[in-house]
Amino acid sequence: MKLKETPQNIEEILGNYPQKLRSDLIPILQDVQELQGYISQDAIKQISGYLDLPTSKIFGVATFYNQFRLNPPGRHLVQVCRGTACHVKGSAKLLESLERELGIKAAQTTKDRRYTIEVVACMGACSIAPVICVDGNYHGRLDVKDLPAILEQYE
């Protein structure tokens, strides 16, 4: 369960990095995202003040690495594996179908904040390729026709 974001929660995270090193930026961003589910503008400002880094530098790092989100995720995170085995077995078609079905592209969230699609390099579930993972639940050996029933489980 995610804690409610408050400035005090961010301050607690920053307190775990007392040396205020620039090299702490990525671990701080990871901790903040774990707390909030994403990295808010307010958190970026707090981190900026704490590490004495321009907000543009923090934003640049947060947007460079695809592990970070700058917008709140949907209630259900749909991850599509694009690793070699999944690619060979048709994960591109799964991704295209999900994008059509949900009306969003990868790395976006539906307007009702129900779903976020995320593309991942490899889930390590090659034996059941192609694979998607919804809220930590793996669904493998998929065909496009399987997707509506899977999504229905999360309505």
Side-chain angles (χ1 to χ4, degrees), residues 71-116:
N71 293 306
R75 287 190 306 264
H76 303 290
L77 178 61
V78 181
Q79 297 174 303
V80 180
C81 183
R82 293 292 288 132
T84 303
C86 287
H87 174 75
V88 169
K89 299 258 184 155
S91 65
K93 289 180 183 176
L94 293 177
L95 178 59
E96 290 169 11
S97 180
L98 279 167
E99 289 175 337
R100 257 191 326 276
E101 178 88 14
L102 298 175
I104 57 173
K105 295 288 185 188
Q108 293 182 339
T109 300
T110 56
K111 288 183 182 178
D112 63 3
R113 295 232 174 280
R114 179 165 284 171
Y115 296 100
T116 296

Side-chain angles (χ1 to χ4, degrees), residues 2-150:
K2 292 199 182 348
L3 299 173
K4 184 177 181 206
E5 173 203 347
T6 66
Q8 292 79 22
N9 294 134
I10 304 298
E11 289 299 325
E12 288 174 24
I13 289 171
L14 296 174
N16 292 329
Y17 300 90
Q19 295 181 341
K20 300 183 181 186
L21 302 173
R22 290 176 180 224
S23 60
D24 290 333
L25 178 57
I26 291 176
I28 289 171
L29 291 173
Q30 290 170 327
D31 290 351
V32 168
Q33 182 164 288
E34 184 162 333
L35 171 71
Q36 299 178 317
Y38 72 110
I39 301 166
S40 68
Q41 289 182 359
D42 288 341
I44 288 175
K45 289 175 190 171
Q46 283 184 267
I47 295 166
S48 170
Y50 188 77
L51 294 179
D52 194 29
L53 288 171
T55 56
S56 60
K57 171 83 170 168
I58 296 166
F59 182 79
V61 170
T63 56
F64 178 80
Y65 294 101
N66 66 7
Q67 68 175 301
F68 296 123
R69 288 187 290 276
L70 297 177
N71 293 306
R75 287 190 306 264
H76 303 290
L77 178 61
V78 181
Q79 297 174 303
V80 180
C81 183
R82 293 292 288 132
T84 303
C86 287
H87 174 75
V88 169
K89 299 258 184 155
S91 65
K93 289 180 183 176
L94 293 177
L95 178 59
E96 290 169 11
S97 180
L98 279 167
E99 289 175 337
R100 257 191 326 276
E101 178 88 14
L102 298 175
I104 57 173
K105 295 288 185 188
Q108 293 182 339
T109 300
T110 56
K111 288 183 182 178
D112 63 3
R113 295 232 174 280
R114 179 165 284 171
Y115 296 100
T116 296
I117 298 175
E118 183 176 273
V119 172
V120 295
C122 183
M123 290 185 185
C126 305
S127 65
I128 58 170
V131 176
I132 68 168
C133 181
V134 184
D135 298 342
N137 300 308
Y138 286 75
H139 303 271
R141 295 186 182 94
L142 295 178
D143 187 84
V144 169
K145 66 179 173 38
D146 301 321
L147 295 175
I150 291 169

